[in-house]
Amino acid sequence: MTAAAPPRGRAAAGPVGGGPGEGLWRPASGCGPDCLPPPTTPDVSRLRRAGRLLGVLGMLLAGAGLAALLPLLPAARGRAATLGWARWTLRTLGVRLVARGRAPRGRVLLVANHVSWLDVLAVLAVSPARMLAKREVRRWPVVGALAAAAGTVFVDRSRPRDLPATVARVAESLRSGRPVAVFPEGTTWCGAATDCRPAGGFRPAMFQAAVATGTPVVPLDLAYRYGGDPGTLAAFLGEETLWASMRRVLAARDLTVVVTVRAALYPAPGADRRALARAAEAAIRPTPPVRRADRRARRAGPSEILEANGRHGDLLLPRSTGCGRTRGRTGVGDATQSR
């Protein structure tokens, strides 16, 4: 889970920091404080807010205990326990969950748009999966320890040389039959303004793990509604602290997260991970932004055609003729490029 970089973060074409590998391009959105709703009087009483906060702390402690028990539980019971914990935590926060569709069980790569720290709970509430998160999450109080105990794969975005190992760990989890969930945008954004979309859209690196293991990719469309209408109250943006965002959520009434499970995408052997990423993004956004790196793949013509297959309208990606060893800004090679 990664909060949106502040607008000035788009200058990340140059080095970030001074250590080796610090020049890795980092996703950034155009979101800022103006994308958030203006401060208003809390919708619920102070007593209700305090009760919600105490309830969340209790659920975090319960989650820590669950993480310790998961290795000892049968797989089916572990999934049910994780799903129940995530749903109860959302309910404790005062967030209503609406799930549309059902995610497949077993080995699957779940990919979702990224709006809020609530996204992790929303994904786990519909399909318990191993998460991919930025390294900084590990340092968050309580949440970091819980994420580590639950088997979260942490990625250091400042070290491009570590990216192949991260993709390999995701592929290993998929081969073992475990579902994995990622947020390919790499950062949060409000979801309300087109010019706020993270530059580059869905990053294709982790899609290579699905191609390498023949794993279906299931797009998840996450949307938040406040008072019955689309809103940005739940968004976690820019330099805002987690506590400030949580306080806004705790004070809200009638906050809903809608999780829509889109049709699965089945990559053919040797499929182009960029084409797969673009197809997953298009399933969530009708008009995903076009990237320079994708223009070469689009020239493939008929090899890019998606063929409907199966009772759920699952999509099959044929082999791409343009999938070779290429070099990008990170210089980490074909299977792990961030572009």
Side-chain angles (χ1 to χ4, degrees), residues 2-3 27 114 157 183-188 201 203:
T2 52
H114 206 6
R157 297 177 299 169
F183 299 102
E185 288 165 325
T187 187
T188 56
R203 312 306 297 174

PDB file of all heavy atoms in Angstrom, residues 2-3 27 114 157 183-188 201 203:
ATOM      1  N   THR A   2       0.656   2.145  -0.895  1.00  0.00           N
ATOM      2  CA  THR A   2       1.535   3.277  -1.043  1.00  0.00           C
ATOM      3  C   THR A   2       0.727   4.539  -1.197  1.00  0.00           C
ATOM      4  O   THR A   2      -0.170   4.622  -2.026  1.00  0.00           O
ATOM      5  CB  THR A   2       2.423   3.101  -2.285  1.00  0.00           C
ATOM      6  OG1 THR A   2       1.602   2.810  -3.388  1.00  0.00           O
ATOM      7  CG2 THR A   2       3.428   2.001  -2.062  1.00  0.00           C
ATOM      8  N   ALA A   3       1.024   5.549  -0.386  1.00  0.00           N
ATOM      9  CA  ALA A   3       0.327   6.813  -0.507  1.00  0.00           C
ATOM     10  C   ALA A   3       0.846   7.577  -1.700  1.00  0.00           C
ATOM     11  O   ALA A   3       2.004   7.479  -2.076  1.00  0.00           O
ATOM     12  CB  ALA A   3       0.514   7.647   0.766  1.00  0.00           C
ATOM     13  N   PRO A  27       6.439   5.958  -9.342  1.00  0.00           N
ATOM     14  CA  PRO A  27       5.141   6.454  -9.801  1.00  0.00           C
ATOM     15  C   PRO A  27       4.684   7.639  -8.963  1.00  0.00           C
ATOM     16  O   PRO A  27       4.943   7.704  -7.757  1.00  0.00           O
ATOM     17  CB  PRO A  27       4.216   5.246  -9.600  1.00  0.00           C
ATOM     18  CG  PRO A  27       5.133   4.072  -9.562  1.00  0.00           C
ATOM     19  CD  PRO A  27       6.398   4.556  -8.938  1.00  0.00           C
ATOM     20  N   HIS A 114      -5.611   1.907  -6.925  1.00  0.00           N
ATOM     21  CA  HIS A 114      -5.171   2.227  -5.570  1.00  0.00           C
ATOM     22  C   HIS A 114      -5.666   3.615  -5.169  1.00  0.00           C
ATOM     23  O   HIS A 114      -5.303   4.610  -5.799  1.00  0.00           O
ATOM     24  CB  HIS A 114      -3.644   2.178  -5.511  1.00  0.00           C
ATOM     25  CG  HIS A 114      -3.084   1.882  -4.161  1.00  0.00           C
ATOM     26  ND1 HIS A 114      -3.863   1.558  -3.079  1.00  0.00           N
ATOM     27  CD2 HIS A 114      -1.797   1.869  -3.711  1.00  0.00           C
ATOM     28  CE1 HIS A 114      -3.081   1.344  -2.034  1.00  0.00           C
ATOM     29  NE2 HIS A 114      -1.836   1.537  -2.382  1.00  0.00           N
ATOM     30  N   ARG A 157      11.333   0.333  -3.573  1.00  0.00           N
ATOM     31  CA  ARG A 157      11.247   1.005  -4.860  1.00  0.00           C
ATOM     32  C   ARG A 157      12.488   1.816  -5.191  1.00  0.00           C
ATOM     33  O   ARG A 157      12.660   2.273  -6.315  1.00  0.00           O
ATOM     34  CB  ARG A 157      10.016   1.913  -4.889  1.00  0.00           C
ATOM     35  CG  ARG A 157       8.712   1.151  -4.758  1.00  0.00           C
ATOM     36  CD  ARG A 157       7.530   2.086  -4.705  1.00  0.00           C
ATOM     37  NE  ARG A 157       7.616   2.981  -3.568  1.00  0.00           N
ATOM     38  CZ  ARG A 157       6.839   4.046  -3.390  1.00  0.00           C
ATOM     39  NH1 ARG A 157       5.914   4.330  -4.279  1.00  0.00           N
ATOM     40  NH2 ARG A 157       6.966   4.806  -2.326  1.00  0.00           N
ATOM     41  N   PHE A 183      -1.049  -3.646  -6.347  1.00  0.00           N
ATOM     42  CA  PHE A 183      -1.606  -2.385  -6.834  1.00  0.00           C
ATOM     43  C   PHE A 183      -0.637  -1.853  -7.886  1.00  0.00           C
ATOM     44  O   PHE A 183       0.318  -1.145  -7.563  1.00  0.00           O
ATOM     45  CB  PHE A 183      -1.784  -1.395  -5.679  1.00  0.00           C
ATOM     46  CG  PHE A 183      -2.722  -1.876  -4.606  1.00  0.00           C
ATOM     47  CD1 PHE A 183      -2.228  -2.379  -3.403  1.00  0.00           C
ATOM     48  CD2 PHE A 183      -4.094  -1.845  -4.797  1.00  0.00           C
ATOM     49  CE1 PHE A 183      -3.087  -2.834  -2.418  1.00  0.00           C
ATOM     50  CE2 PHE A 183      -4.956  -2.301  -3.819  1.00  0.00           C
ATOM     51  CZ  PHE A 183      -4.457  -2.789  -2.624  1.00  0.00           C
ATOM     52  N   PRO A 184      -0.869  -2.186  -9.158  1.00  0.00           N
ATOM     53  CA  PRO A 184       0.133  -1.906 -10.192  1.00  0.00           C
ATOM     54  C   PRO A 184       0.373  -0.430 -10.477  1.00  0.00           C
ATOM     55  O   PRO A 184       1.353  -0.093 -11.137  1.00  0.00           O
ATOM     56  CB  PRO A 184      -0.433  -2.604 -11.438  1.00  0.00           C
ATOM     57  CG  PRO A 184      -1.514  -3.497 -10.955  1.00  0.00           C
ATOM     58  CD  PRO A 184      -2.016  -2.899  -9.702  1.00  0.00           C
ATOM     59  N   GLU A 185      -0.505   0.452 -10.018  1.00  0.00           N
ATOM     60  CA  GLU A 185      -0.268   1.876 -10.228  1.00  0.00           C
ATOM     61  C   GLU A 185       0.911   2.354  -9.392  1.00  0.00           C
ATOM     62  O   GLU A 185       1.522   3.380  -9.710  1.00  0.00           O
ATOM     63  CB  GLU A 185      -1.520   2.682  -9.894  1.00  0.00           C
ATOM     64  CG  GLU A 185      -2.623   2.507 -10.916  1.00  0.00           C
ATOM     65  CD  GLU A 185      -3.972   3.000 -10.422  1.00  0.00           C
ATOM     66  OE1 GLU A 185      -4.256   2.852  -9.221  1.00  0.00           O
ATOM     67  OE2 GLU A 185      -4.743   3.523 -11.251  1.00  0.00           O
ATOM     68  N   GLY A 186       1.212   1.639  -8.318  1.00  0.00           N
ATOM     69  CA  GLY A 186       2.374   1.975  -7.508  1.00  0.00           C
ATOM     70  C   GLY A 186       2.188   3.146  -6.577  1.00  0.00           C
ATOM     71  O   GLY A 186       3.090   3.487  -5.813  1.00  0.00           O
ATOM     72  N   THR A 187       1.038   3.780  -6.598  1.00  0.00           N
ATOM     73  CA  THR A 187       0.764   4.915  -5.731  1.00  0.00           C
ATOM     74  C   THR A 187      -0.741   5.139  -5.694  1.00  0.00           C
ATOM     75  O   THR A 187      -1.475   4.626  -6.550  1.00  0.00           O
ATOM     76  CB  THR A 187       1.470   6.184  -6.239  1.00  0.00           C
ATOM     77  OG1 THR A 187       1.327   7.244  -5.288  1.00  0.00           O
ATOM     78  CG2 THR A 187       0.903   6.647  -7.568  1.00  0.00           C
ATOM     79  N   THR A 188      -1.203   5.879  -4.716  1.00  0.00           N
ATOM     80  CA  THR A 188      -2.631   6.176  -4.634  1.00  0.00           C
ATOM     81  C   THR A 188      -2.968   7.440  -5.416  1.00  0.00           C
ATOM     82  O   THR A 188      -2.116   8.293  -5.648  1.00  0.00           O
ATOM     83  CB  THR A 188      -3.065   6.383  -3.169  1.00  0.00           C
ATOM     84  OG1 THR A 188      -2.255   7.409  -2.581  1.00  0.00           O
ATOM     85  CG2 THR A 188      -2.921   5.100  -2.373  1.00  0.00           C
ATOM     86  N   GLY A 201       0.270   4.723 -15.710  1.00  0.00           N
ATOM     87  CA  GLY A 201      -0.781   3.741 -15.464  1.00  0.00           C
ATOM     88  C   GLY A 201      -0.275   2.491 -14.764  1.00  0.00           C
ATOM     89  O   GLY A 201       0.610   2.548 -13.914  1.00  0.00           O
ATOM     90  N   ARG A 203       1.870  -0.413 -13.961  1.00  0.00           N
ATOM     91  CA  ARG A 203       3.244  -0.811 -14.255  1.00  0.00           C
ATOM     92  C   ARG A 203       3.275  -2.317 -14.524  1.00  0.00           C
ATOM     93  O   ARG A 203       2.664  -3.099 -13.797  1.00  0.00           O
ATOM     94  CB  ARG A 203       4.170  -0.461 -13.092  1.00  0.00           C
ATOM     95  CG  ARG A 203       4.002   0.963 -12.559  1.00  0.00           C
ATOM     96  CD  ARG A 203       4.125   1.995 -13.642  1.00  0.00           C
ATOM     97  NE  ARG A 203       5.446   1.982 -14.248  1.00  0.00           N
ATOM     98  CZ  ARG A 203       5.794   2.704 -15.306  1.00  0.00           C
ATOM     99  NH1 ARG A 203       4.894   3.460 -15.888  1.00  0.00           N
ATOM    100  NH2 ARG A 203       7.011   2.638 -15.771  1.00  0.00           N
TER     101      ARG A 203
END
